[in-house]
Amino acid sequence: EVQLVESGGGLVQPGESLRLSCAAAGFTLSNFWMIWVRQAAGRGLEWVAYLGPAGKDISYVDSVAGRFTISRDNARSSLFLQMNSLRTEDTAVYYCVRGSPYCRGGACRLAFDFWGQGTLVTVSS
Amino acid sequence: DIQMTQSPSSLSTSVGDRVAITCRASQSISSFLNWYQQKPGKAPKLLIYAASTLQSGVPSRFSGSGSGTDFTLTISSLQPEDFATYYCQQGYSSPLTFGGGTKVEIK
């Protein structure tokens, strides 16, 4: 059974840092794209970052680029999100998500097929 | 960035009704469109990928259609467990963007 368990959320002040972790089980992490998605209270979903299986393909939403870093430790089946210079607008539940590729017309893209339960990050003074 | 617009933002309906939710992309995304269901306090769940392919384990009353810029999620006969919020998401290009969501409520 695929499981994704996030940890590391909490209350921090603006400008501080936090590191989120995601423990993966039930599949081989090194074979999959991994993603972070966040959701502010009462709001919709926002993709934050993705990381390819080999660790080379990385992308961030503009609002976190330069402040957040996604990384992985395949040997420990873990995904991380280092969040620096946190802002109040980063307050949200952060989900660790597995991405599975599908191909149409010679091109391949991702579907987010398994989600963790989320960890709450609150940035407030 | 590709903007995803869902409509309606909410709807009130009854068990057994047919429900259609639309999602429009600001530019063509081919068939790289996914649908998710989210219940209160829970993580989203993948329902449909590639616009029309049902994820394993998802009931056949859910279906998806469309390509290019216009897409539809249809629930053929709404069940009590289907009351939730539904999101579309484009996987065509980064940043990967979601629609604003459609909340399906009990009438």
Side-chain angles (χ1 to χ4, degrees), chain A residues 49-112:
Chain A
Y50 67 62
L51 176 60
K56 298 178 183 177
D57 298 287
I58 301 177
S59 185
Y60 301 93
V61 66
D62 282 351
S63 59
V64 310
R67 299 188 299 122
F68 289 12
T69 302
I70 186 172
S71 62
R72 63 200 295 159
D73 183 338
N74 289 332
R76 292 166 53 192
S77 292
S78 294
L79 179 73
F80 306 101
L81 187 67
Q82 178 66 43
M83 304 185 294
N84 298 332
S85 303
L86 282 161
R87 304 168 180 169
T88 55
E89 55 264 35
D90 295 319
T91 295
V93 173
Y94 284 72
Y95 293 102
C96 169
V97 185
R98 191 181 83 168
S100 286
Y102 61 90
C103 302
R104 295 291 186 272
C108 299
R109 298 293 188 273
L110 296 176
F112 300 166

Side-chain angles (χ1 to χ4, degrees), chain B residues 42-80:
Chain B
K42 300 295 186 182
K45 170 188 172 184
L46 176 65
L47 295 178
I48 287 171
Y49 62 94
S52 60
T53 302
L54 210 61
Q55 173 69 347
S56 176
V58 174
S60 58
R61 62 181 179 273
F62 291 92
S63 64
S65 63
S67 66
T69 60
D70 294 309
F71 302 86
T72 302
L73 172 69
T74 301
I75 310 172
S76 60
S77 177
L78 202 70
Q79 297 303 299

Side-chain angles (χ1 to χ4, degrees), chain A residues 3 16 22 24 26 36 42 45 47 69 71 78 99 123:
Chain A
Q3 285 193 322
E16 294 186 339
C22 171
W36 288 99
L45 301 167
W47 165 77
T69 302
S71 62
S78 294
V123 185

Side-chain angles (χ1 to χ4, degrees), chain A residues 5-10 18-21 36-39 83 92-96 116-122:
Chain A
V5 180
E6 302 94 336
S7 60
L18 208 56
R19 189 190 196 213
L20 305 183
S21 299
W36 288 99
V37 173
R38 67 184 179 183
Q39 185 172 36
M83 304 185 294
V93 173
Y94 284 72
Y95 293 102
C96 169
Q117 84 289 346
T119 187
L120 177 62
V121 173
T122 304

